[in-house]
């Protein structure tokens, strides 16, 4: 907790949102970490009811929405990461809140709610920068559905303006400290190069360690120089091997949606998690084929799923990066389960 608290001031390679969340717990000394985990568990517990609310906003039946919340409550990956000192739980909470408020703003054409959704989007961006580019896709999805909402442009503009304003204090701080325009963090080049591998040991630990050693051997100490160096290396490799890059991207997209975790997790854990996800994905596919995504608002959720899939097919990828999409999968699975049970009656 102390390391992450210091990261707010001294580190620019990760967003500041999660360190800010943890910083108040520093006042409790050695007992801060258990209290921080307890607070995070409260956020994790909120994921299930938030998923229920989002499911109802997307046209699910009450039975389907309850099933979606229940599937989130027992999702082994969500349970596992709820106690880890990592960004996943806070980010997922903010993303769910963002979509709930945005969909309500869209449905009611409410500008105040659009502003609140922008604030949540900004806070989510300060927690995990992967959501920042999604703003453009959100606007594109709204444009696609513009005939259903005559105030679509105003809603998008207000949401986007507040989203951007939420980032201004941190961006200004970065300008004053580094004399560079850094909206959230600096790690694009590093993540790009780190992601150019399919080797499991490289993904887990070898590649980041080797990159750190290489930066040291090159005499690079400044985080901006390090990020730019690996960004150049990544782009040069892609330019020389476009076919290999395309094939790697496709395989990473498939891996992103694999049902099971890789070692070093024990075989029993991998089998248990894998069986849960096989059943979850089967129910989600049933929900899709039975019309669960026919509600117009699903355009925003599908855009979010496509965004993260593409992003992590290009940059560094890991099964935990799929966690922000688990509530969407659970909503589809809950709808699929409800529709299948209704057909049996």
């Amino acid at each position: 907790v102390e390391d992450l608290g210091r990261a707010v001031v001294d580190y620019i390679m990760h967003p500041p949102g999660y360190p800010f969340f943890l910083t108040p717990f520093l006042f409790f000394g050695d007992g801060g970490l258990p209290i921080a985990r307890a607070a995070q568990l409260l956020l994790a517990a909120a994921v299930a009811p938030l998923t229920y609310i989002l499911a109802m906003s997307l046209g699910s039946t009450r039975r389907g929405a309850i099933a979606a919340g229940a599937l989130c409550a027992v999702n082994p990956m969500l349970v596992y990461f709820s106690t880890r000192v990592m960004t996943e739980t806070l980010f997922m909470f903010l993303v769910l809140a963002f979509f709930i408020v945005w969909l309500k703003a869209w449905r009611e054409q409410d500008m105040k709610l659009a502003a609140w959704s922008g604030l949540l989007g900004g806070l989510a961006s300060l927690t995990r920068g992967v959501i920042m580019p999604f703003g453009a896709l959100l606007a594109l999805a709204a444009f696609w559905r513009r005939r259903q909402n005559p105030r679509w442009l105003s809603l998008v503009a207000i949401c986007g303006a507040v989203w951007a304003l939420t980032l201004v204090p941190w961006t200004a701080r970065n300008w004053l400290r580094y004399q560079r325009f850094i909206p959230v963090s600096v790690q694009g080049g590093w993540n790009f190069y780190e992601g150019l591998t399919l080797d499991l040991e490289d993904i887990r630990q070898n590649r980041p360690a080797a990159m750190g050693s290489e930066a040291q051997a090159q005499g690079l100490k400044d985080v901006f120089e390090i990020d730019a160096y690996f960004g150049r290396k990544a782009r040069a490799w892609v330019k020389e091997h476009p076919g290999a890059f395309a094939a790697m991207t496709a395989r990473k997209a498939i891996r992103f949606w694999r049902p099971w975790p890789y070692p070093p997790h024990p075989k029993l854990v991998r089998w248990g998690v894998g069986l849960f996800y096989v059943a979850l994905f089967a129910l989600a596919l049933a929900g899709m084929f039975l019309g669960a995504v026919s509600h117009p608002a699903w355009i925003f959720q599908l855009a979010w799923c496509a965004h993260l899939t593409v992003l992590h097919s290009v940059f560094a990828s890991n099964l935990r990066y799929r966690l922000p999409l688990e509530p969407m999968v659970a909503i589809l699975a809950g709808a699929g389960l409800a529709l299948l049970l209704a057909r049996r009656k």
Side-chain angles (χ1 to χ4, degrees):
V1 175
E2 289 177 355
D3 288 344
L4 286 166
R6 284 194 295 270
V8 174
V9 176
D10 298 329
Y11 205 49
I12 194 62
M13 292 190 72
H14 289 288
Y18 193 59
F20 273 129
F21 168 75
L22 292 174
T23 296
F25 302 104
L26 295 174
F27 295 105
F28 295 95
D30 293 339
L33 183 57
I35 299 173
R37 282 183 169 151
Q40 187 165 283
L41 282 170
L42 292 176
L43 295 181
V47 168
L50 288 176
T51 300
Y52 169 87
I53 295 169
L54 182 59
M56 295 297 289
S57 299
L58 293 168
S60 290
T61 63
R62 186 169 182 273
R63 176 182 290 184
I66 291 173
L71 287 168
C72 277
V74 299
N75 186 305
M77 293 293 287
L78 300 187
V79 172
Y80 174 76
F81 280 100
S82 65
T83 60
R84 308 285 288 182
V85 184
M86 302 174 79
T87 61
E88 272 65 31
T89 299
L90 176 61
F91 183 62
M92 187 162 38
F93 174 86
L94 291 170
V95 168
L96 280 169
F98 164 77
F99 277 116
I100 289 169
V101 176
W102 168 254
L103 291 182
K104 186 173 177 62
W106 181 263
R107 184 171 60 252
E108 298 179 4
Q109 301 182 29
D110 189 313
M111 300 302 155
K112 289 183 180 179
L113 287 175
W116 280 109
S117 70
L119 174 64
L120 290 165
L123 294 175
S125 298
L126 290 169
T127 304
R128 288 278 297 277
V130 294
I131 196 175
M132 278 184 60
F134 175 68
L137 270 184
L138 185 80
L140 184 62
F143 174 76
W144 187 263
R145 295 293 190 187
R146 65 190 184 281
R147 294 181 180 177
Q148 300 169 357
N149 193 324
R151 305 185 74 185
W152 72 273
L153 185 57
S154 298
L155 290 167
V156 168
I158 290 175
C159 175
V162 176
W163 191 325
L165 286 172
T166 306
L167 304 180
V168 165
W170 185 250
T171 306
R173 172 266 185 193
N174 291 337
W175 178 265
L176 293 172
R177 187 175 180 85
Y178 302 108
Q179 289 75 55
R180 295 170 183 262
F181 177 71
I182 308 165
V184 176
S185 62
V186 176
Q187 207 177 18
W190 176 283
N191 280 342
F192 192 11
Y193 188 77
E194 184 184 357
L196 294 178
T197 181
L198 292 170
D199 183 271
L200 296 181
E201 286 301 317
D202 275 356
I203 294 169
R204 187 158 47 245
Q205 58 185 9
N206 291 349
R207 196 170 183 87
M211 290 169 67
S213 299
E214 182 177 347
Q216 188 174 17
Q218 293 288 328
L220 302 174
K221 297 181 180 180
D222 182 87
V223 293
F224 305 104
E225 292 179 351
I226 293 171
D227 192 67
Y229 171 78
F230 285 110
R232 288 193 299 270
K233 282 197 69 173
R235 290 189 295 272
W237 187 88
V238 171
K239 187 176 180 180
E240 293 176 9
H241 309 90
F245 175 67
M248 179 185 295
T249 300
R251 289 184 63 182
K252 286 171 67 179
I254 295 170
R255 281 187 177 184
F256 186 70
W257 287 99
R258 68 186 184 275
W260 55 87
Y262 289 129
H265 299 288
K267 184 178 290 186
L268 181 62
V269 171
R270 285 183 279 134
W271 271 97
V273 173
L275 289 173
F276 173 85
Y277 275 116
V278 166
L280 186 72
F281 289 166
L283 287 172
L285 288 172
M288 291 183 69
F289 284 117
L290 294 174
V293 295
S294 59
H295 193 282
W298 261 104
I299 186 70
F300 301 110
Q301 313 308 123
L302 295 176
W304 174 235
C305 292
H307 168 69
L308 279 192
T309 301
V310 171
L311 189 75
H312 290 298
S313 298
V314 175
F315 292 91
S317 183
N318 192 296
L319 193 62
R320 69 184 177 92
Y321 295 150
R322 197 183 71 210
L323 262 63
L325 301 181
E326 297 296 342
M328 318 307 166
V329 179
I331 291 170
L332 285 174
L337 179 61
L339 290 168
L340 288 172
L341 290 175
R343 285 193 166 197
R344 293 187 61 182
K345 291 183 179 180

